[in-house]
């Protein structure tokens, strides 16, 4: 069935990105913000694609039922 752990992981990634961005701004390392956000965005995209695959499997299950 549809796993909600990926949703909670995506929310935690967004919180980590926000906190990291605020910390890096205060440290004066603004050039790192794009790299950190890009890395976290790629990880988030992988989890979104996994969620989409699971959702399509769920739809197939209901269509066959």
């Amino acid at each position: 069935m549809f796993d909600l752990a990926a949703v909670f992981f995506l929310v935690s990634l967004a919180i980590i990105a926000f906190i990291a961005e605020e910390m890096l701004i205060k440290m004066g390392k603004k050039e790192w913000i794009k790299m950190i956000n890009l890395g976290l965005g790629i990880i988030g995209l992988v989890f979104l694609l996994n969620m989409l695959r699971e959702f399509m499997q769920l739809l197939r299950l209901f269509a066959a039922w």
Side-chain angles (χ1 to χ4, degrees):
M1 285 304 226
F2 194 68
D3 189 19
L4 288 179
V7 174
F8 293 121
F9 189 74
L10 284 173
V11 170
S12 65
L13 271 179
I15 293 170
I16 289 171
F18 176 74
I19 292 171
E21 184 173 347
E22 292 298 319
M23 287 175 54
L24 289 171
I25 287 174
K26 289 183 181 181
M27 289 171 48
K29 300 198 183 280
K30 292 184 179 180
E31 66 274 1
W32 287 23
I33 294 172
K34 288 182 183 178
M35 292 185 292
I36 298 293
N37 283 340
L38 181 63
L40 291 174
I42 290 171
I43 293 170
L45 183 62
V46 168
F47 277 95
L48 278 174
L49 290 174
N50 187 26
M51 286 172 52
L52 180 63
R53 182 182 54 87
E54 289 179 7
F55 182 69
M56 294 302 286
Q57 288 175 350
L58 185 66
L59 286 177
R60 282 191 201 119
L61 178 75
F62 284 134
W65 186 48

